[in-house]
Amino acid sequence: MAKLEQVELFQEVGLLVLPTNYPKFSPTGKVSCSCRNAECPKIGKHPKVNSYKGLTPETYQKRRSYYLKRFKQDRGLNLGFKVIGYSVLDADYKHGGAYSLGLLREEVLGLDETLSVATPGGEHLYTSTAGFNQSSGSLGKGLDIRSDKTSGFIVAPGSLHASGRQYAWSSVNDLQPIPDDWFSPGGTNNPKGRKLLGKKSGAPLQPVRIPSQILPGYVIPEGQRNITLFKFACRERGRGANKAEIYDVIDTINQTYCECPLPDSELRTIAKSVSEYPTNAEKLSSGKAA
């Protein structure tokens, strides 16, 4: 679907789509932002219009034709959503987001089926829970929140990343909620931003250790599958395994020892994320080994 058609479709279904800056690529391979800030820290990831933070569905309707005109004038623009009435979990795989998101999926049933977007560096999960009040990273390492209570803006599918890759829908489903009782025992939205991941209803997260040798009777229970397979993946990566080799190992462990095996998509996410970590040999050569 052409970008302009996407904009019109998003507007028709009630999404607040905004003209967004985009990455520019020079013949020498240098990447810059269309905002013309030579030191822009968010290349292609921030709106090209002012005063978007106070935007409401009502004021957006009044400016809808103006935004559409901007997209027609510059076909290179990225797309972004002003997030109101829902929340988006932004998982950054390079900073531990795959691990955190895996833990979250263990705790929040149905999150696997929610609307999601594959990003060049991770994943965006759209949930029907509005008004998330946690700060960046409060749900777990590499897992940020976009809502009308936080930054309120997320790059939309069809946009171009500074890597040259695109944001694209990975699962088109109804938005799933995150239940109120997940936030705290009292069902509040935890305004103090307590570290929530692994502490459903206040229960402490128990440490998970992987065995050096798998013995008969070994079982990985539900609630510990993601963290356990993540740790097995990290051990293989440390030994020098690539993405395919990591996947083969955790796939075998998943099918053989998990009480209820994880879906294949979860395994591939873990393998992709962990394969970007340095091996033990690379850590040694860079002086980062413990």
Side-chain angles (χ1 to χ4, degrees):
M1 183 183 294
K3 188 177 294 184
L4 196 57
E5 292 176 336
Q6 281 185 296
V7 173
E8 292 176 320
L9 176 61
F10 289 151
Q11 288 186 333
E12 285 298 322
V13 299
L15 290 166
L16 280 57
V17 57
L18 297 171
T20 302
N21 283 286
Y22 55 93
K24 299 178 73 174
F25 304 90
S26 72
T28 60
K30 183 179 179 181
V31 185
S32 60
C33 187
S34 62
C35 70
R36 299 182 181 179
N37 176 1
E39 303 298 326
C40 179
K42 296 184 177 181
I43 296 176
K45 293 184 178 181
H46 57 107
K48 206 171 179 67
V49 292
N50 296 322
S51 303
Y52 79 92
K53 291 184 178 180
L55 201 62
T56 66
E58 293 72 27
T59 55
Y60 183 88
Q61 287 303 315
K62 296 177 181 179
R63 304 176 190 175
R64 175 176 166 173
S65 59
Y66 166 72
Y67 294 138
L68 185 60
K69 182 180 178 181
R70 292 289 299 270
F71 281 110
K72 289 179 178 178
Q73 290 173 338
D74 188 348
R75 300 299 176 94
L77 286 170
N78 270 348
L79 291 68
F81 293 141
K82 165 64 177 175
V83 181
I84 294 181
Y86 58 97
S87 295
V88 182
L89 304 179
D90 181 2
D92 184 346
Y93 290 172
K94 286 188 177 181
H95 293 89
Y99 172 65
S100 296
L101 187 56
L103 288 176
L104 184 59
R105 279 173 162 148
E106 290 276 8
E107 296 197 5
V108 182
L109 299 179
L111 200 57
D112 283 332
E113 290 115 32
T114 200
L115 183 73
S116 61
V117 172
T119 74
E123 192 171 358
H124 290 165
L125 273 72
Y126 289 65
T127 83
S128 59
T129 303
F132 261 130
N133 202 27
Q134 283 71 38
S135 60
S136 175
S138 63
L139 288 182
K141 190 175 181 181
L143 190 59
D144 295 337
I145 301 162
R146 303 287 180 264
S147 77
D148 50 354
K149 293 291 182 69
T150 58
S151 72
F153 180 82
I154 194 78
V155 179
S159 298
L160 187 65
H161 187 265
S163 65
R165 292 179 288 170
Q166 279 197 325
Y167 295 76
W169 295 114
S170 59
S171 175
V172 182
N173 295 310
D174 292 336
L175 272 62
Q176 300 297 315
I178 293 183
D180 286 342
D181 64 2
W182 186 81
F183 293 105
S184 73
T188 66
N189 197 20
N190 186 28
K192 294 183 180 179
R194 170 171 58 88
K195 295 277 185 185
L196 295 174
L197 196 55
K199 297 196 175 182
K200 183 177 181 180
S201 299
L205 177 63
Q206 298 299 318
V208 173
R209 301 191 194 314
I210 59 174
S212 56
Q213 180 182 1
I214 298 179
L215 300 174
Y218 178 65
V219 175
I220 303 172
E222 277 194 82
Q224 293 186 2
R225 297 169 300 172
N226 268 282
I227 186 172
T228 304
L229 292 175
F230 178 86
K231 288 190 172 184
F232 272 112
C234 286
R235 186 163 73 184
E236 293 303 312
R237 179 56 180 164
R239 294 168 175 171
N242 60 29
K243 182 172 70 173
E245 292 166 338
I246 293 170
Y247 170 80
D248 287 342
V249 169
I250 62 175
D251 180 46
T252 299
I253 294 172
N254 183 51
Q255 296 300 328
T256 308
Y257 300 107
C258 280
E259 193 172 48
C260 179
L262 284 176
D264 187 69
S265 59
E266 285 291 295
L267 302 184
R268 295 189 182 280
T269 294
I270 293 171
K272 180 180 183 299
S273 173
V274 173
S275 68
E276 297 177 355
Y277 294 176
T279 65
N280 289 344
E282 290 169 339
K283 290 177 182 178
L284 281 169
S285 65
S286 63
K288 294 180 181 179

